[in-house]
Amino acid sequence: MAKTTVRLPPNLSAQMFQDSCYTYVRGPKRRQQRMAHSADAISSSFEEEMGYKEQGAAKILIQCITDDVLNYIGPTLAKHQNCDVIDINPGVCLWSTKLHDYLQPRTHLLLEPNEHFFDPFIKPLLERPGSKFRHAFFNTEDWDTYKRIFKEGYIKPSSQSSSEPSRVNESNDSLLVVGNFAYAPRTPVLGFDSLAHLAVNHLFCKALRQHSYIHSYGRVRMLLWMTHEDTFKILPQDVFQRGKFTVDQEMSGLVTMVAGPRKLSAKIGIANLETANLKRVVQNMNSDNISLPLRRQTLGYPEAHDSSSQGTQPALEPPNPRSTKGQILLRWEDEREFASLTQKYKKTRASKSERSADPGWQRYLQLRNTYSTISSAYKYLDPLATLNNEVLQLELALTAENVSDEDKDRMVEEWKGKSGELKFRQSKLSFSRRHQFEVIVDNLFAREREASLLQWDRRQFEPLRAKEDEFYPSNDLCLLDFQPGSPLVFSGDDDFEDAKLATWLLTHLFLKSSRPIPMALESCAPGAADALLPRALSITNPRKGGRLDPSELRVRLLTLEMIEELARAWIDWPFRPSLGELIPTGTLRERFSRAEKRV
């Protein structure tokens, strides 16, 4: 990669805090170029100025989205006034400085291991009169760092916090953790898709359950920057994306997106579901007197806001040409571009040679073929989705209170007939069509209920729109708010081996989240389905997200209540394989044990 020459304004370290609005976004270790940008820049090489010549990509936030973020979530930060702040990978410290001025913390610890940021960006903060900033060169990827900061006195627990058992389960508002794990390109590390996932797993999930590291004195809130792609498994917007990593976050607390790109994570979605959820969110925002700034409005927000005020259903823009008679009104990522190109080329008269040389025409043909394939597939599945909904309504009616025996017998016969017809018609589907059908009905089942299975659907406000060109180089970044709750514990005495057994079960079940639950349980141990399902009553309770026929419920639809029931039944099952049998090789067992003890 050729060396990049960048331009720095004179006295950048002082000027950036006044008007340049810089925030550093990290690149992978040993593959970085530290870059800066300014409208008033003068010619200079950043590597030569800083004495830093590593290669790779780095990103810098060049607009003041930080001001919009603080104005937007400011009321929720009021409880953290004068708290201690642990700031991970602050880089050039714009976000750190804005947050510091807003919260006026007692101590603000900057954990920036890169010495090249110290003199121009961090040192001036430390030298401010009466500065509350502190700095340490600790490695932010070494989890022992988050013990050292307390042990060596960088952060001293306030009088409100305590390591006593009665206090560690309470929220510790005297400490706030902010960080930047927006590494690009994303690199798998230790079995996780990225360093952001590894950090969230250790700092939010495991440390919270074990009351260690930053949670040693109570449950601590975190605000973390990461790439949009990193959020797919943490805060999925489609049931298909819900896996074991997602469930770990759900068991640990509430995750909310504060800022993110305009686009959704799922390329194909059910528009009527997304529109209904957006309308609910906007109604909540209106009741709480929250509104998005015009420049930060997300996709569909203006229509939902107007329709909420008028009491009507928001319209889809542009109009979706698919059938609206059944369960499915499809939304796909490129439909707006396709609609625009359709209008452009509908009345265009051009020769074949002229069109073949037109990139827009080639793109139109590509999107038209994609549309035709998706449209025909989902229109074919729409009647099946309607039949599946009829079966679900019968299951809900059967489990209602005060149902007479006569009505119950009639509904049972009707349910058996329609359920059998549905299974027969499913068996005639090809593998790909069956997969599409299961994704559709799982989304309808999980997200149309009163409390959606997805945290994304239960959000209390829309995220601020973060634009690509606000980051250099252009990229989609998100700010996630991690608010810990009472972690799900599977054993009354918090037995370490019981916790490992529950973790093994959860991991094994979600190896393939599209499997029916009985099949997934049988893969854990012979006879597990027959032994565990009778003890997990919510799995067969349609009013708690279950199905009368558990073979129609896939692993990705497991609620936290179902997971807790299955885990406790698994731990108590006398014929369960031992941990040594489940993890047979000594090397694997030792690695598993070491990984658990590192947290």
Side-chain angles (χ1 to χ4, degrees):
M1 181 181 295
K3 186 172 80 170
T4 301
T5 300
V6 296
R7 305 166 71 84
L8 293 173
N11 194 20
L12 171 64
S13 58
Q15 180 182 344
M16 58 170 243
F17 297 115
Q18 299 172 8
D19 54 18
S20 295
C21 299
Y22 285 81
T23 294
Y24 173 71
V25 183
R26 308 187 69 82
K29 188 178 181 181
R30 297 185 180 181
R31 290 182 56 79
Q32 300 169 337
Q33 282 178 332
R34 312 306 184 191
M35 296 184 289
H37 177 80
S38 172
D40 303 320
I42 59 173
S43 298
S44 177
S45 168
F46 187 64
E47 290 89 345
E48 293 176 2
E49 289 284 333
M50 304 292 287
Y52 187 64
K53 300 183 179 180
E54 291 182 330
Q55 292 185 346
K59 301 178 181 65
I60 296 176
L61 190 64
I62 60 173
Q63 299 293 334
C64 293
I65 191 174
T66 52
D67 291 331
D68 289 332
V69 166
L70 292 175
N71 290 333
Y72 196 51
I73 64 170
T76 71
L77 293 174
K79 60 185 177 182
H80 300 291
Q81 286 287 334
N82 307 122
C83 69
D84 295 318
V85 176
I86 298 175
D87 200 336
I88 305 170
N89 301 329
V92 298
C93 298
L94 171 70
W95 167 244
S96 308
T97 307
K98 296 280 187 178
L99 187 66
H100 183 94
D101 294 341
Y102 190 88
L103 293 179
Q104 297 296 313
R106 185 180 67 157
T107 304
H108 192 146
L109 176 61
L110 304 173
L111 293 178
E112 178 51 72
N114 192 330
E115 61 185 14
H116 300 284
F117 287 100
F118 182 78
D119 284 338
F121 304 118
I122 297 175
K123 188 176 179 181
L125 299 179
L126 301 177
E127 294 176 346
R128 283 181 174 183
S131 175
K132 302 295 183 180
F133 282 101
R134 302 191 70 185
H135 173 257
F137 284 108
F138 295 160
N139 182 2
T140 56
E141 300 170 24
D142 180 1
W143 311 120
D144 284 338
T145 290
Y146 304 99
K147 291 181 180 178
R148 290 179 61 187
I149 56 180
F150 295 105
K151 192 176 295 183
E152 299 183 14
Y154 284 90
I155 294 290
K156 297 178 181 179
S158 70
S159 57
Q160 302 175 13
S161 58
S162 171
S163 59
E164 297 177 0
S166 60
R167 298 296 298 272
V168 293
N169 289 318
E170 299 177 1
S171 295
N172 179 13
D173 295 333
S174 65
L175 179 62
L176 177 67
V177 174
V178 297
N180 184 352
F181 289 97
Y183 285 72
R186 297 168 73 242
T187 304
V189 54
L190 296 178
F192 291 88
D193 292 344
S194 66
L195 185 61
H197 284 187
L198 180 65
V200 169
N201 179 71
H202 279 67
L203 295 180
F204 184 63
C205 300
K206 290 188 175 181
L208 180 63
R209 288 195 289 269
Q210 298 179 12
H211 312 302
S212 59
Y213 299 141
I214 60 174
H215 304 287
S216 297
Y217 300 93
R219 303 196 297 258
V220 175
R221 181 181 182 182
M222 300 194 305
L223 294 169
L224 301 182
W225 287 96
M226 61 187 68
T227 65
H228 185 225
E229 196 174 352
D230 280 327
T231 68
F232 292 178
K233 290 185 178 180
I234 297 175
L235 193 63
Q237 300 174 14
D238 190 286
V239 169
F240 177 72
Q241 298 170 327
R242 186 173 185 260
K244 195 260 181 183
F245 190 64
T246 308
V247 172
D248 279 341
Q249 321 310 316
E250 294 172 356
M251 292 192 300
S252 302
L254 178 64
V255 183
T256 305
M257 185 182 294
V258 177
R262 186 182 179 92
K263 60 187 179 184
L264 300 173
S265 65
K267 293 185 177 181
I268 300 176
I270 302 175
N272 39 325
L273 274 179
E274 295 170 352
T275 304
N277 282 321
L278 178 57
K279 184 177 180 181
R280 179 196 57 78
V281 173
V282 172
Q283 288 174 342
N284 289 338
M285 294 174 66
N286 290 342
S287 63
D288 294 336
N289 294 321
I290 301 174
S291 61
L292 284 174
L294 185 61
R295 64 181 179 278
R296 298 293 178 193
Q297 291 183 356
T298 53
L299 190 65
Y301 175 83
E303 295 87 353
H305 184 271
D306 294 342
S307 65
S308 177
S309 303
Q310 300 169 6
T312 60
Q313 185 71 10
L316 295 173
E317 292 282 348
N320 193 313
R322 292 173 184 77
S323 170
T324 62
K325 295 180 181 179
Q327 296 292 306
I328 308 169
L329 179 59
L330 202 63
R331 184 273 308 161
W332 60 299
E333 190 176 56
D334 299 316
E335 67 180 343
R336 290 174 179 268
E337 182 184 0
F338 175 60
S340 175
L341 291 175
T342 300
Q343 292 295 324
K344 176 181 178 180
Y345 291 106
K346 180 186 277 188
K347 299 180 180 180
T348 300
R349 294 183 178 181
S351 65
K352 188 175 181 180
S353 58
E354 289 176 335
R355 286 187 168 181
S356 62
D358 183 0
W361 174 255
Q362 299 301 321
R363 175 63 173 167
Y364 168 69
L365 292 179
Q366 178 188 2
L367 293 179
R368 189 176 67 178
N369 291 335
T370 303
Y371 165 77
S372 178
T373 302
I374 293 175
S375 179
S376 61
Y378 281 83
K379 281 185 178 179
Y380 178 81
L381 296 174
D382 198 32
L384 279 180
T386 302
L387 179 58
N388 183 77
N389 184 61
E390 293 173 0
V391 173
L392 286 173
Q393 296 306 315
L394 283 170
E395 292 183 1
L396 289 170
L398 280 168
T399 54
E401 297 179 357
N402 303 322
V403 180
S404 66
D405 293 339
E406 183 180 350
D407 288 342
K408 191 170 185 178
D409 292 340
R410 177 184 55 80
M411 286 188 292
V412 166
E413 290 302 317
E414 187 179 358
W415 173 75
K416 287 181 178 179
K418 290 191 174 183
S419 182
E421 180 187 355
L422 180 63
K423 288 183 178 180
F424 175 76
R425 293 173 67 176
Q426 280 183 261
S427 67
K428 299 299 183 181
L429 297 175
S430 64
F431 176 81
S432 60
R433 286 276 175 93
R434 186 182 180 92
H435 169 73
Q436 292 169 343
F437 172 74
E438 289 176 350
V439 171
I440 290 172
V441 296
D442 284 356
N443 270 290
L444 292 170
F445 179 58
R447 303 175 67 186
E448 281 189 329
R449 63 185 67 167
E450 185 176 351
S452 172
L453 186 63
L454 301 182
Q455 285 193 348
W456 168 256
D457 291 337
R458 303 196 302 269
R459 65 195 184 278
Q460 294 302 307
F461 54 83
E462 273 290 279
L464 296 167
R465 179 189 176 190
K467 304 172 186 177
E468 282 190 18
D469 59 4
E470 291 181 303
F471 304 92
Y472 186 79
S474 296
N475 198 7
D476 291 323
L477 298 187
C478 299
L479 177 63
L480 295 190
D481 184 358
F482 296 83
Q483 300 193 47
S486 299
L488 191 59
V489 178
F490 302 110
S491 175
D493 56 0
D494 202 20
D495 183 83
F496 184 57
E497 184 160 337
D498 285 356
K500 289 197 287 186
L501 286 168
T503 300
W504 184 92
L505 176 68
L506 188 60
T507 302
H508 196 82
L509 288 176
F510 276 93
L511 284 176
K512 190 175 182 181
S513 63
S514 60
R515 290 183 297 182
I517 290 174
M519 182 187 297
L521 288 172
E522 282 299 306
S523 70
C524 296
D530 292 336
L532 304 186
L533 286 176
R535 295 192 56 188
L537 299 179
S538 59
I539 288 179
T540 53
N541 187 345
R543 297 188 175 276
K544 292 187 175 182
R547 298 293 300 267
L548 293 181
D549 182 0
S551 65
E552 292 298 314
L553 196 70
R554 280 160 284 281
V555 172
R556 60 187 172 223
L557 295 175
L558 284 171
T559 65
L560 296 187
E561 182 180 0
M562 295 174 188
I563 290 171
E564 183 177 11
E565 291 173 346
L566 283 175
R568 288 179 175 169
W570 172 254
I571 292 168
D572 296 338
W573 187 32
F575 302 106
R576 162 188 52 78
S578 66
L579 195 61
E581 293 171 317
L582 295 172
I583 310 176
T585 63
T587 302
L588 280 176
R589 187 159 58 249
E590 290 171 6
R591 287 172 59 187
F592 186 89
S593 178
R594 285 199 302 271
E596 292 291 326
K597 291 177 180 178
R598 278 201 297 268
V599 180

